[in-house]
Amino acid sequence: MRLGLVGLLLPITLGTAAQTPQRLNTQPVASTALAPAQAAAGAAYQPPPEYRMPPAAGFDARVFEAMAQELVANQRVPGMALAIVQGGRILTARGYGITDVRNAEPIDSHTVFRLASLSKAFAGTVTGLLVNEGALRWDTRVADYMPALQFSNPDAARQLTVAEVLSHRVGLTHNTYDRDLEGNADYNSLVQRLAYAPMNCAPGECYGYQNIAFSLIGDVVFGASGQFYSEAVSRRIFKPLGMNDASYGLEGIEASPRWARPHVRAGGGWMSLTPKPSYYRVAPAAGVNASISDMAQWLLAQGGHRPDVLPAPLLATLHAPLVSTPTEMRGGASSWRRQRLYDAGYAIGWRVYDYAGHRLVFHAGAVQGYRGMAALLPERDLGVVILWNSESSLPSGLLPTILDRAIGLPAQRWLDVDPSYELLYANGAQPAAPGTTDLRQAPVQGGPEATSANAQPD
């Protein structure tokens, strides 16, 4: 089965140095999910631009801007930011609400948020760029750069590959040592303790979401590039894409000219906090800070509109699921996942879903006082990012609202806000709120298009 899967994925890498991950899961999966070979084959297909469909009739970013504005009204959530890109252009990238209930400043397109586990896609992407450069292979053994690494299974550390780290197929139980990290244990000591952590399987044979073990990729990137992990991401991703507000770590967010403070519930309102440093200690898993302007550029690049930085064969590899994750469709999953998802898997730093029959590349992030969601709907050439600075789950309903409208699905009330469409269209396009920068219809920064047209990180 592994050889058959490699054959299915081989066309992805023709004409590029990007080698396809080969140690794929071969375990049986639940009947509700596709086998990994089927899932990877489906995800590997990227419709060429001439075959991508526009959003369904009536799709209008102004409607979603109005919804976002209602979400911050009366501080239902303190603040948030929304970016929508489609067809290689930014339809909207704006901020709403305030940075801090104790020292209110308006959130604009350059206000920086903590991304939590949205950081994982940056880890997968920078690793893929090193594979393209020939500095690494997807099947490179982590032990080549971390010879002291040990697991309770003596052979596991010698077997573990780069692709297995980035797709949570290390073999450890879910979220190994996250509570110790939250208790201020440092990363290096937790890596040493992996030698005593229970394992569910050999590397490559099962899925178990990780933050500490996922961050082993930072050590590999350092060894392969000779650059500190954050420097490698900055040089290969932030700077080329024009992500000028992006940074790593607590120092990075606190040095930003304007940044959104995290908020937790207090009495009948919100209380702002100082960001906790714990998950910043695992930078590949949860270390990125970025503005919604940055994230609009990130969406465009991940959607294939910056081939000068992220070539299409690499994106196809990053977005191809390597292991089935059927629990995403049931149990404690959010209502839209339970109702809309027919299949779920994990790729290289991204989740990949069958959303009501349409492929969705997705990730969420959550850490105390911050939440975020990023999604790509390839067939509609659509990307969406929503960031907010509170522990509220309310803004999460905006994502399925946007996706349903883009696909043309029957209306479903995922949000309890209902903007006045008559007023919206009577007034025409809404100007940006004070203190924001309206990037609607802005071109891609650089590249060919610019010259032509208290939760754990999830």
Side-chain angles (χ1 to χ4, degrees):
M1 181 174 180
R2 178 172 293 173
L3 291 175
L5 182 52
V6 172
L8 285 169
L9 291 178
L10 185 60
I12 297 174
T13 60
L14 294 179
T16 178
Q19 174 223 8
T20 301
Q22 296 185 22
R23 287 180 58 84
L24 307 185
N25 178 47
T26 57
Q27 295 298 98
V29 297
S31 60
T32 56
L34 294 174
Q38 295 170 297
Y45 174 72
Q46 289 274 8
E50 60 269 26
Y51 293 112
R52 293 180 185 175
M53 296 178 287
F59 185 88
D60 191 330
R62 295 172 298 177
V63 173
F64 311 120
E65 292 174 335
M67 290 179 175
Q69 193 63 57
E70 289 200 29
L71 286 170
V72 301
N74 302 314
Q75 290 189 8
R76 298 186 69 196
V77 296
M80 62 179 293
L82 168 68
I84 303 174
V85 304
Q86 197 283 320
R89 301 190 70 82
I90 300 170
L91 303 185
T92 186
R94 291 177 54 186
Y96 307 84
I98 57 176
T99 59
D100 186 347
V101 295
R102 294 184 298 182
N103 184 23
E105 292 184 355
I107 292 176
D108 66 15
S109 63
H110 294 284
T111 300
V112 174
F113 289 77
R114 188 174 184 176
L115 298 191
S117 279
L118 300 190
S119 305
K120 290 183 170 68
F122 291 88
T125 300
V126 76
T127 305
L129 290 171
L130 289 171
V131 172
N132 267 8
E133 294 171 15
L136 280 175
R137 292 174 54 91
W138 291 113
D139 60 1
T140 293
R141 307 292 176 173
V142 174
D144 291 350
Y145 295 96
M146 303 182 70
L149 180 66
Q150 295 184 26
F151 295 118
S152 58
N153 177 340
D155 294 327
R158 294 192 295 271
Q159 297 172 358
L160 182 65
T161 69
V162 163
E164 289 162 352
V165 168
L166 291 167
S167 55
H168 302 289
R169 295 177 296 141
V170 178
L172 297 167
T173 58
H174 286 266
N175 298 102
T176 293
Y177 294 142
D178 277 7
R179 289 191 177 181
D180 300 84
L181 182 66
E182 292 168 2
N184 286 326
D186 68 273
Y187 165 73
N188 289 326
S189 68
L190 292 174
V191 169
Q192 292 175 2
R193 289 176 57 191
L194 292 176
Y196 310 102
M199 298 193 72
N200 282 339
C201 67
E205 294 183 359
C206 63
Y207 169 79
Y209 192 83
Q210 305 297 324
N211 287 299
I212 290 97
F214 184 94
S215 296
L216 297 172
I217 200 64
D219 299 87
V220 175
V221 167
F222 174 74
S225 69
Q227 298 167 349
F228 291 114
Y229 174 78
S230 59
E231 180 185 4
V233 176
S234 179
R235 288 189 179 187
R236 289 171 173 81
I237 299 176
F238 293 166
K239 291 179 181 178
L241 294 183
M243 297 179 65
N244 299 322
D245 304 316
S247 65
Y248 267 90
L250 182 59
E251 300 82 3
I253 197 169
E254 290 182 337
S256 302
R258 178 174 293 177
W259 58 281
R261 271 65 175 176
H263 291 78
V264 297
R265 298 190 186 278
W270 295 102
M271 177 177 67
S272 62
L273 305 171
T274 299
K276 285 188 174 181
S278 53
Y279 282 99
Y280 276 134
R281 297 188 183 116
V282 285
V288 178
N289 312 299
S291 68
I292 204 66
S293 175
D294 295 328
M295 296 305 287
Q297 298 301 324
W298 177 239
L299 287 174
L300 290 167
Q302 288 287 328
H305 294 283
R306 288 298 304 274
D308 56 314
V309 181
L310 303 184
L314 172 59
L315 292 175
T317 299
L318 297 176
H319 299 166
L322 302 181
V323 62
S324 181
T325 59
T327 56
E328 289 286 293
M329 300 180 287
R330 61 177 187 265
S334 55
S335 61
W336 67 266
R337 297 191 213 194
R338 290 195 301 272
Q339 296 183 50
R340 288 285 189 251
L341 300 193
Y342 300 161
D343 183 43
Y346 205 96
I348 300 290
W350 286 102
R351 298 188 185 278
V352 183
Y353 295 151
D354 180 331
Y355 184 95
H358 307 266
R359 188 164 66 90
L360 182 70
V361 180
F362 170 86
H363 217 290
V367 70
Q368 186 183 43
Y370 293 99
R371 299 287 186 274
M373 309 174 86
L376 298 159
L377 195 63
E379 72 172 42
R380 304 283 174 163
D381 202 1
L382 179 77
V384 181
V385 167
I386 308 167
L387 308 173
W388 62 103
N389 61 335
S390 70
E391 61 185 11
S392 171
S393 62
L394 185 61
S396 62
L398 186 55
L399 178 63
T401 302
I402 295 170
L403 296 176
D404 285 2
R405 196 72 58 87
I407 295 168
L409 296 177
Q412 176 92 6
R413 196 171 179 83
W414 304 111
L415 282 172
D416 63 350
V417 298
D418 190 15
S420 171
Y421 295 99
E422 291 78 10
L423 179 62
L424 182 67
Y425 289 115
N427 290 341
Q430 294 178 330
T436 68
T437 301
D438 190 349
L439 298 180
R440 191 186 297 113
Q441 298 300 325
V444 183
Q445 293 185 10
E449 278 78 13
T451 57
S452 56
N454 196 42
Q456 298 162 350
D458 180 17

